[in-house]
Amino acid sequence: MLEYKPEDYLFPELYVEGGAGDCVSVDLSRGVYWRDSKGALCKVVYEEGWKLIIDPIESTASRSFLTIVPWMEYKGVYVGRGARVELIEVRGVEVYITSREGAVVEEGTVIAYVLTRKGETRTRKARTNGVIAYIAWEPLVPPLYVFVVTRDYRVLDAIEVKANTTV
């Protein structure tokens, strides 16, 4: 029997360099981010964000981005433009993700189990050390997940900024 936890129903948010709307500012020297209408990173639709942030040919981040992870007390995983990334594609009739955004993985860490059309179970493993900065989902048949793993990241804390104060 599966047990569900409240965090199973919370989804990460993705903020990308450029754009407009709901934005955040980042201070890497202090290791923090905060909500800011004039911020440099702005919210995008999570599932579509990977087309904005990843250069699959060069295996790099094409823009800086911040993934806010609710089950990590809303800490953010920040990846700067140009950071090297590893893309791991996971596709199958059913995919069971075992390592989510914000998880630190080592080479060989199981990130997902896959049920094939033949009814066989396969494992997908990380091929490097790093953090899972983002997981893309494409609603194809069968569905496709793309894990973005990088060594070049910072974990940022959220801070509250009061009106009329400077950070």
Side-chain angles (χ1 to χ4, degrees), residues 68 90 101 118 167:
I68 297 176
V90 178
E101 295 91 341
K118 292 182 178 180
V167 178

Coordinates of all heavy atoms in Angstrom, one line a residue, residues 68 90 101 118 167:
I68 N 12.3 26.4 -7.1 CA 11.9 26.5 -5.7 C 11.3 25.2 -5.4 O 10.3 24.8 -6.0 CB 11.0 27.7 -5.5 CG1 11.8 29.0 -5.8 CG2 10.5 27.7 -4.1 CD1 11.0 30.3 -5.7
V90 N 14.1 9.6 -19.3 CA 13.4 8.4 -18.7 C 12.1 8.3 -19.4 O 11.3 9.2 -19.4 CB 13.2 8.6 -17.2 CG1 12.5 7.4 -16.6 CG2 14.6 8.8 -16.5
E101 N 13.4 16.8 -7.5 CA 14.2 18.1 -7.5 C 14.8 18.4 -6.1 O 14.1 18.2 -5.1 CB 13.3 19.2 -7.9 CG 12.8 19.1 -9.4 CD 11.4 18.4 -9.5 OE1 11.0 17.7 -8.6 OE2 10.8 18.6 -10.5
K118 N 6.8 -4.5 -22.3 CA 6.9 -6.0 -22.1 C 6.6 -6.4 -20.7 O 6.7 -7.6 -20.3 CB 8.3 -6.5 -22.5 CG 8.6 -6.4 -24.0 CD 10.0 -7.0 -24.2 CE 10.4 -7.0 -25.7 NZ 11.7 -7.5 -25.9
V167 N 17.4 45.4 0.5 CA 18.0 44.1 0.8 C 19.5 44.2 0.9 O 20.1 44.9 0.2 CB 17.6 43.1 -0.2 CG1 18.2 41.8 0.1 CG2 16.1 43.0 -0.3

